[in-house]
mmCIF file of all heavy atoms in Angstrom:
data_model
loop_
_atom_site.group_PDB
_atom_site.id
_atom_site.type_symbol
_atom_site.label_atom_id
_atom_site.label_comp_id
_atom_site.label_asym_id
_atom_site.label_seq_id
_atom_site.Cartn_x
_atom_site.Cartn_y
_atom_site.Cartn_z
ATOM 1 N N LEU A 1 0.859 -1.181 0.000
ATOM 2 C CA LEU A 1 0.000 0.000 0.000
ATOM 3 C C LEU A 1 0.896 1.231 0.000
ATOM 4 O O LEU A 1 1.785 1.356 0.846
ATOM 5 C CB LEU A 1 -0.903 0.005 1.234
ATOM 6 C CG LEU A 1 -1.873 1.180 1.362
ATOM 7 C CD1 LEU A 1 -2.916 1.149 0.251
ATOM 8 C CD2 LEU A 1 -2.545 1.174 2.732
ATOM 9 N N VAL A 2 0.683 2.119 -0.966
ATOM 10 C CA VAL A 2 1.476 3.342 -1.080
ATOM 11 C C VAL A 2 0.555 4.532 -0.845
ATOM 12 O O VAL A 2 -0.464 4.686 -1.528
ATOM 13 C CB VAL A 2 2.140 3.460 -2.463
ATOM 14 C CG1 VAL A 2 3.007 4.719 -2.537
ATOM 15 C CG2 VAL A 2 2.978 2.215 -2.764
ATOM 16 N N GLN A 3 0.900 5.358 0.121
ATOM 17 C CA GLN A 3 0.111 6.540 0.441
ATOM 18 C C GLN A 3 1.006 7.776 0.423
ATOM 19 O O GLN A 3 2.095 7.763 1.008
ATOM 20 C CB GLN A 3 -0.553 6.389 1.811
ATOM 21 C CG GLN A 3 -1.559 5.244 1.880
ATOM 22 C CD GLN A 3 -2.151 5.057 3.265
ATOM 23 O OE1 GLN A 3 -1.435 5.031 4.247
ATOM 24 N NE2 GLN A 3 -3.466 4.926 3.335
ATOM 25 N N VAL A 4 0.553 8.813 -0.253
ATOM 26 C CA VAL A 4 1.319 10.056 -0.366
ATOM 27 C C VAL A 4 0.478 11.194 0.198
ATOM 28 O O VAL A 4 -0.691 11.355 -0.157
ATOM 29 C CB VAL A 4 1.691 10.350 -1.829
ATOM 30 C CG1 VAL A 4 2.610 11.571 -1.903
ATOM 31 C CG2 VAL A 4 2.375 9.142 -2.462
ATOM 32 N N THR A 5 1.071 11.968 1.081
ATOM 33 C CA THR A 5 0.389 13.128 1.656
ATOM 34 C C THR A 5 1.313 14.337 1.585
ATOM 35 O O THR A 5 2.537 14.200 1.464
ATOM 36 C CB THR A 5 -0.014 12.885 3.116
ATOM 37 O OG1 THR A 5 1.150 12.495 3.871
ATOM 38 C CG2 THR A 5 -1.068 11.786 3.215
ATOM 39 N N ALA A 6 0.725 15.521 1.663
ATOM 40 C CA ALA A 6 1.514 16.759 1.652
ATOM 41 C C ALA A 6 0.851 17.777 2.567
ATOM 42 O O ALA A 6 -0.382 17.788 2.722
ATOM 43 C CB ALA A 6 1.631 17.314 0.239
ATOM 44 N N PHE A 7 1.679 18.626 3.181
ATOM 45 C CA PHE A 7 1.182 19.648 4.099
ATOM 46 C C PHE A 7 1.846 20.976 3.767
ATOM 47 O O PHE A 7 3.040 21.037 3.466
ATOM 48 C CB PHE A 7 1.473 19.253 5.545
ATOM 49 C CG PHE A 7 0.791 17.975 5.964
ATOM 50 C CD1 PHE A 7 1.439 16.756 5.818
ATOM 51 C CD2 PHE A 7 -0.496 17.995 6.463
ATOM 52 C CE1 PHE A 7 0.812 15.575 6.181
ATOM 53 C CE2 PHE A 7 -1.129 16.824 6.830
ATOM 54 C CZ PHE A 7 -0.477 15.617 6.686
ATOM 55 N N ALA A 8 1.056 22.042 3.835
ATOM 56 C CA ALA A 8 1.545 23.368 3.497
ATOM 57 C C ALA A 8 2.583 23.846 4.504
ATOM 58 O O ALA A 8 2.643 23.376 5.648
ATOM 59 C CB ALA A 8 0.371 24.344 3.437
ATOM 60 N N ASP A 9 3.387 24.788 4.068
ATOM 61 C CA ASP A 9 4.422 25.359 4.929
ATOM 62 C C ASP A 9 3.789 26.435 5.810
ATOM 63 O O ASP A 9 3.749 27.613 5.472
ATOM 64 C CB ASP A 9 5.534 25.966 4.074
ATOM 65 C CG ASP A 9 6.636 26.572 4.915
ATOM 66 O OD1 ASP A 9 6.886 26.053 6.020
ATOM 67 O OD2 ASP A 9 7.233 27.575 4.474
ATOM 68 N N ASP A 10 3.256 25.995 6.956
ATOM 69 C CA ASP A 10 2.704 26.938 7.918
ATOM 70 C C ASP A 10 3.248 26.577 9.304
ATOM 71 O O ASP A 10 3.912 25.549 9.458
ATOM 72 C CB ASP A 10 1.177 26.934 7.897
ATOM 73 C CG ASP A 10 0.582 25.567 8.175
ATOM 74 O OD1 ASP A 10 1.152 24.813 8.989
ATOM 75 O OD2 ASP A 10 -0.450 25.230 7.571
ATOM 76 N N PRO A 11 3.011 27.396 10.319
ATOM 77 C CA PRO A 11 3.613 27.120 11.641
ATOM 78 C C PRO A 11 3.265 25.758 12.212
ATOM 79 O O PRO A 11 4.063 25.163 12.930
ATOM 80 C CB PRO A 11 3.037 28.251 12.512
ATOM 81 C CG PRO A 11 2.777 29.362 11.557
ATOM 82 C CD PRO A 11 2.315 28.697 10.293
ATOM 83 N N THR A 12 2.094 25.229 11.890
ATOM 84 C CA THR A 12 1.691 23.940 12.467
ATOM 85 C C THR A 12 2.010 22.760 11.569
ATOM 86 O O THR A 12 1.987 21.610 12.011
ATOM 87 C CB THR A 12 0.178 23.936 12.743
ATOM 88 O OG1 THR A 12 -0.536 24.079 11.495
ATOM 89 C CG2 THR A 12 -0.200 25.080 13.680
ATOM 90 N N GLN A 13 2.323 23.035 10.302
ATOM 91 C CA GLN A 13 2.574 21.962 9.328
ATOM 92 C C GLN A 13 1.405 20.964 9.305
ATOM 93 O O GLN A 13 1.590 19.762 9.178
ATOM 94 C CB GLN A 13 3.877 21.229 9.647
ATOM 95 C CG GLN A 13 5.122 22.040 9.377
ATOM 96 C CD GLN A 13 5.438 22.156 7.891
ATOM 97 O OE1 GLN A 13 5.643 21.162 7.210
ATOM 98 N NE2 GLN A 13 5.480 23.375 7.389
ATOM 99 N N ALA A 14 0.179 21.480 9.463
ATOM 100 C CA ALA A 14 -0.981 20.606 9.581
ATOM 101 C C ALA A 14 -2.042 20.867 8.514
ATOM 102 O O ALA A 14 -3.111 20.278 8.557
ATOM 103 C CB ALA A 14 -1.617 20.758 10.967
ATOM 104 N N THR A 15 -1.775 21.777 7.574
ATOM 105 C CA THR A 15 -2.738 22.058 6.518
ATOM 106 C C THR A 15 -2.507 21.121 5.344
ATOM 107 O O THR A 15 -1.495 21.228 4.652
ATOM 108 C CB THR A 15 -2.617 23.522 6.046
ATOM 109 O OG1 THR A 15 -2.776 24.401 7.157
ATOM 110 C CG2 THR A 15 -3.664 23.824 4.988
ATOM 111 N N PRO A 16 -3.415 20.161 5.093
ATOM 112 C CA PRO A 16 -3.189 19.199 4.020
ATOM 113 C C PRO A 16 -3.337 19.833 2.643
ATOM 114 O O PRO A 16 -4.124 20.760 2.437
ATOM 115 C CB PRO A 16 -4.266 18.146 4.264
ATOM 116 C CG PRO A 16 -5.358 18.870 4.979
ATOM 117 C CD PRO A 16 -4.671 19.905 5.827
ATOM 118 N N LEU A 17 -2.566 19.310 1.704
ATOM 119 C CA LEU A 17 -2.628 19.725 0.313
ATOM 120 C C LEU A 17 -2.968 18.514 -0.544
ATOM 121 O O LEU A 17 -2.642 17.380 -0.182
ATOM 122 C CB LEU A 17 -1.281 20.303 -0.143
ATOM 123 C CG LEU A 17 -0.821 21.601 0.514
ATOM 124 C CD1 LEU A 17 0.615 21.910 0.098
ATOM 125 C CD2 LEU A 17 -1.753 22.756 0.142
ATOM 126 N N PRO A 18 -3.621 18.718 -1.688
ATOM 127 C CA PRO A 18 -3.879 17.586 -2.579
ATOM 128 C C PRO A 18 -2.576 16.908 -2.984
ATOM 129 O O PRO A 18 -1.613 17.588 -3.367
ATOM 130 C CB PRO A 18 -4.567 18.240 -3.780
ATOM 131 C CG PRO A 18 -5.152 19.515 -3.252
ATOM 132 C CD PRO A 18 -4.185 19.985 -2.204
ATOM 133 N N MET A 19 -2.517 15.605 -2.872
ATOM 134 C CA MET A 19 -1.324 14.854 -3.277
ATOM 135 C C MET A 19 -1.781 13.466 -3.736
ATOM 136 O O MET A 19 -1.662 12.482 -3.023
ATOM 137 C CB MET A 19 -0.327 14.759 -2.114
ATOM 138 C CG MET A 19 1.021 14.128 -2.482
ATOM 139 S SD MET A 19 1.866 14.906 -3.862
ATOM 140 C CE MET A 19 2.265 16.529 -3.207
ATOM 141 N N LYS A 20 -2.368 13.449 -4.912
ATOM 142 C CA LYS A 20 -2.935 12.224 -5.448
ATOM 143 C C LYS A 20 -1.962 11.561 -6.407
ATOM 144 O O LYS A 20 -1.360 12.227 -7.263
ATOM 145 C CB LYS A 20 -4.250 12.520 -6.173
ATOM 146 C CG LYS A 20 -4.943 11.290 -6.727
ATOM 147 C CD LYS A 20 -6.254 11.670 -7.400
ATOM 148 C CE LYS A 20 -6.943 10.437 -7.962
ATOM 149 N NZ LYS A 20 -8.223 10.800 -8.632
ATOM 150 N N ILE A 21 -1.797 10.243 -6.249
ATOM 151 C CA ILE A 21 -0.976 9.497 -7.194
ATOM 152 C C ILE A 21 -1.667 9.512 -8.549
ATOM 153 O O ILE A 21 -2.845 9.176 -8.667
ATOM 154 C CB ILE A 21 -0.765 8.045 -6.708
ATOM 155 C CG1 ILE A 21 0.024 8.034 -5.391
ATOM 156 C CG2 ILE A 21 -0.039 7.220 -7.756
ATOM 157 C CD1 ILE A 21 0.186 6.669 -4.782
ATOM 158 N N GLY A 22 -0.934 9.931 -9.553
ATOM 159 C CA GLY A 22 -1.503 10.076 -10.878
ATOM 160 C C GLY A 22 -1.734 11.522 -11.266
ATOM 161 O O GLY A 22 -2.032 11.828 -12.421
ATOM 162 N N ARG A 23 -1.573 12.433 -10.299
ATOM 163 C CA ARG A 23 -1.700 13.867 -10.589
ATOM 164 C C ARG A 23 -0.547 14.650 -9.976
ATOM 165 O O ARG A 23 0.387 15.024 -10.665
ATOM 166 C CB ARG A 23 -3.042 14.406 -10.091
ATOM 167 C CG ARG A 23 -3.199 15.912 -10.338
ATOM 168 C CD ARG A 23 -4.594 16.420 -10.040
ATOM 169 N NE ARG A 23 -4.638 17.880 -10.037
ATOM 170 C CZ ARG A 23 -4.675 18.630 -11.126
ATOM 171 N NH1 ARG A 23 -4.661 18.054 -12.315
ATOM 172 N NH2 ARG A 23 -4.712 19.952 -11.027
ATOM 173 N N GLU A 24 -0.599 14.899 -8.653
ATOM 174 C CA GLU A 24 0.487 15.672 -8.018
ATOM 175 C C GLU A 24 1.787 14.885 -7.963
ATOM 176 O O GLU A 24 2.872 15.460 -7.898
ATOM 177 C CB GLU A 24 0.074 16.099 -6.608
ATOM 178 C CG GLU A 24 -0.936 17.243 -6.558
ATOM 179 C CD GLU A 24 -2.350 16.771 -6.811
ATOM 180 O OE1 GLU A 24 -2.604 15.542 -6.712
ATOM 181 O OE2 GLU A 24 -3.214 17.617 -7.090
ATOM 182 N N VAL A 25 1.685 13.569 -7.950
ATOM 183 C CA VAL A 25 2.879 12.717 -7.971
ATOM 184 C C VAL A 25 2.537 11.457 -8.764
ATOM 185 O O VAL A 25 1.395 10.982 -8.737
ATOM 186 C CB VAL A 25 3.333 12.362 -6.530
ATOM 187 C CG1 VAL A 25 2.279 11.534 -5.807
ATOM 188 C CG2 VAL A 25 4.653 11.632 -6.536
ATOM 189 N N ASN A 26 3.512 10.943 -9.503
ATOM 190 C CA ASN A 26 3.305 9.753 -10.317
ATOM 191 C C ASN A 26 4.360 8.699 -9.986
ATOM 192 O O ASN A 26 5.506 9.030 -9.648
ATOM 193 C CB ASN A 26 3.377 10.097 -11.810
ATOM 194 C CG ASN A 26 2.242 10.984 -12.255
ATOM 195 O OD1 ASN A 26 1.127 10.524 -12.480
ATOM 196 N ND2 ASN A 26 2.519 12.282 -12.379
ATOM 197 N N LEU A 27 3.972 7.440 -10.097
ATOM 198 C CA LEU A 27 4.865 6.312 -9.874
ATOM 199 C C LEU A 27 4.844 5.450 -11.130
ATOM 200 O O LEU A 27 3.779 5.159 -11.672
ATOM 201 C CB LEU A 27 4.407 5.478 -8.672
ATOM 202 C CG LEU A 27 4.127 6.235 -7.375
ATOM 203 C CD1 LEU A 27 3.509 5.300 -6.346
ATOM 204 C CD2 LEU A 27 5.393 6.876 -6.833
ATOM 205 N N ASN A 28 6.029 5.029 -11.586
ATOM 206 C CA ASN A 28 6.064 4.193 -12.796
ATOM 207 C C ASN A 28 5.819 2.729 -12.415
ATOM 208 O O ASN A 28 6.720 1.907 -12.342
ATOM 209 C CB ASN A 28 7.397 4.357 -13.533
ATOM 210 C CG ASN A 28 8.590 3.844 -12.742
ATOM 211 O OD1 ASN A 28 8.597 3.907 -11.521
ATOM 212 N ND2 ASN A 28 9.589 3.320 -13.443
ATOM 213 N N ILE A 29 4.569 2.390 -12.164
ATOM 214 C CA ILE A 29 4.200 1.059 -11.692
ATOM 215 C C ILE A 29 4.480 0.008 -12.763
ATOM 216 O O ILE A 29 4.131 0.188 -13.938
ATOM 217 C CB ILE A 29 2.715 1.010 -11.298
ATOM 218 C CG1 ILE A 29 2.409 2.049 -10.210
ATOM 219 C CG2 ILE A 29 2.317 -0.380 -10.842
ATOM 220 C CD1 ILE A 29 3.119 1.815 -8.908
ATOM 221 N N PHE A 30 5.101 -1.108 -12.359
ATOM 222 C CA PHE A 30 5.362 -2.223 -13.261
ATOM 223 C C PHE A 30 4.154 -3.158 -13.231
ATOM 224 O O PHE A 30 4.065 -4.067 -12.412
ATOM 225 C CB PHE A 30 6.652 -2.942 -12.856
ATOM 226 C CG PHE A 30 7.889 -2.143 -13.139
ATOM 227 C CD1 PHE A 30 8.377 -1.238 -12.209
ATOM 228 C CD2 PHE A 30 8.557 -2.267 -14.344
ATOM 229 C CE1 PHE A 30 9.508 -0.483 -12.460
ATOM 230 C CE2 PHE A 30 9.697 -1.518 -14.624
ATOM 231 C CZ PHE A 30 10.170 -0.621 -13.678
ATOM 232 N N THR A 31 3.234 -2.928 -14.171
ATOM 233 C CA THR A 31 1.961 -3.637 -14.160
ATOM 234 C C THR A 31 2.063 -5.085 -14.632
ATOM 235 O O THR A 31 1.091 -5.836 -14.497
ATOM 236 C CB THR A 31 0.941 -2.887 -15.037
ATOM 237 O OG1 THR A 31 1.484 -2.725 -16.366
ATOM 238 C CG2 THR A 31 0.644 -1.509 -14.451
ATOM 239 N N ALA A 32 3.200 -5.488 -15.185
ATOM 240 C CA ALA A 32 3.351 -6.887 -15.595
ATOM 241 C C ALA A 32 3.452 -7.804 -14.378
ATOM 242 O O ALA A 32 3.117 -8.990 -14.460
ATOM 243 C CB ALA A 32 4.584 -7.051 -16.481
ATOM 244 N N ASP A 33 3.916 -7.262 -13.254
ATOM 245 C CA ASP A 33 4.132 -8.065 -12.049
ATOM 246 C C ASP A 33 3.217 -7.687 -10.894
ATOM 247 O O ASP A 33 3.061 -8.472 -9.955
ATOM 248 C CB ASP A 33 5.591 -7.929 -11.592
ATOM 249 C CG ASP A 33 6.574 -8.357 -12.660
ATOM 250 O OD1 ASP A 33 6.558 -9.544 -13.031
ATOM 251 O OD2 ASP A 33 7.352 -7.501 -13.123
ATOM 252 N N TRP A 34 2.625 -6.502 -10.950
ATOM 253 C CA TRP A 34 1.786 -6.021 -9.860
ATOM 254 C C TRP A 34 0.450 -5.537 -10.418
ATOM 255 O O TRP A 34 0.381 -5.003 -11.518
ATOM 256 C CB TRP A 34 2.461 -4.867 -9.121
ATOM 257 C CG TRP A 34 3.758 -5.222 -8.471
ATOM 258 C CD1 TRP A 34 4.992 -5.275 -9.062
ATOM 259 C CD2 TRP A 34 3.964 -5.574 -7.102
ATOM 260 N NE1 TRP A 34 5.950 -5.629 -8.147
ATOM 261 C CE2 TRP A 34 5.347 -5.828 -6.932
ATOM 262 C CE3 TRP A 34 3.121 -5.694 -6.003
ATOM 263 C CZ2 TRP A 34 5.899 -6.198 -5.710
ATOM 264 C CZ3 TRP A 34 3.658 -6.053 -4.785
ATOM 265 C CH2 TRP A 34 5.041 -6.301 -4.644
ATOM 266 N N MET A 35 -0.602 -5.711 -9.643
ATOM 267 C CA MET A 35 -1.921 -5.230 -10.055
ATOM 268 C C MET A 35 -2.558 -4.452 -8.912
ATOM 269 O O MET A 35 -2.531 -4.881 -7.768
ATOM 270 C CB MET A 35 -2.832 -6.396 -10.462
ATOM 271 C CG MET A 35 -4.232 -5.963 -10.900
ATOM 272 S SD MET A 35 -5.251 -7.321 -11.559
ATOM 273 C CE MET A 35 -4.437 -7.573 -13.150
ATOM 274 N N LEU A 36 -3.118 -3.304 -9.265
ATOM 275 C CA LEU A 36 -3.801 -2.463 -8.285
ATOM 276 C C LEU A 36 -5.213 -2.956 -8.081
ATOM 277 O O LEU A 36 -6.008 -3.043 -9.023
ATOM 278 C CB LEU A 36 -3.812 -1.009 -8.758
ATOM 279 C CG LEU A 36 -4.552 0.001 -7.875
ATOM 280 C CD1 LEU A 36 -3.916 0.098 -6.498
ATOM 281 C CD2 LEU A 36 -4.580 1.373 -8.552
ATOM 282 N N GLY A 37 -5.550 -3.303 -6.844
ATOM 283 C CA GLY A 37 -6.905 -3.736 -6.536
ATOM 284 C C GLY A 37 -7.801 -2.559 -6.210
ATOM 285 O O GLY A 37 -7.326 -1.449 -5.938
ATOM 286 N N GLU A 38 -9.095 -2.809 -6.234
ATOM 287 C CA GLU A 38 -10.053 -1.759 -5.916
ATOM 288 C C GLU A 38 -9.956 -1.311 -4.467
ATOM 289 O O GLU A 38 -10.517 -0.270 -4.105
ATOM 290 C CB GLU A 38 -11.479 -2.249 -6.207
ATOM 291 C CG GLU A 38 -11.821 -2.359 -7.688
ATOM 292 C CD GLU A 38 -11.295 -3.630 -8.342
ATOM 293 O OE1 GLU A 38 -10.705 -4.489 -7.622
ATOM 294 O OE2 GLU A 38 -11.470 -3.777 -9.558
#
């Protein structure tokens, strides 16, 4: 399971930012050996 999160640069470092795999960050998944389940 791969989870990516991001937080804005503020004093609390607690403001979440969009960080979706496939948009803000991408991974070159090797689909011949791995399959993403629902």
Side-chain angles (χ1 to χ4, degrees):
L1 181 66
V2 182
Q3 297 177 313
V4 186
T5 55
F7 298 91
D9 180 32
D10 58 36
T12 63
Q13 289 285 300
T15 304
L17 294 172
M19 187 55 66
K20 182 179 180 180
I21 296 175
R23 178 172 169 79
E24 285 80 17
V25 64
N26 294 281
L27 309 172
N28 65 328
I29 302 296
F30 289 88
T31 56
D33 302 297
W34 298 83
M35 180 173 287
L36 177 62
E38 288 80 4

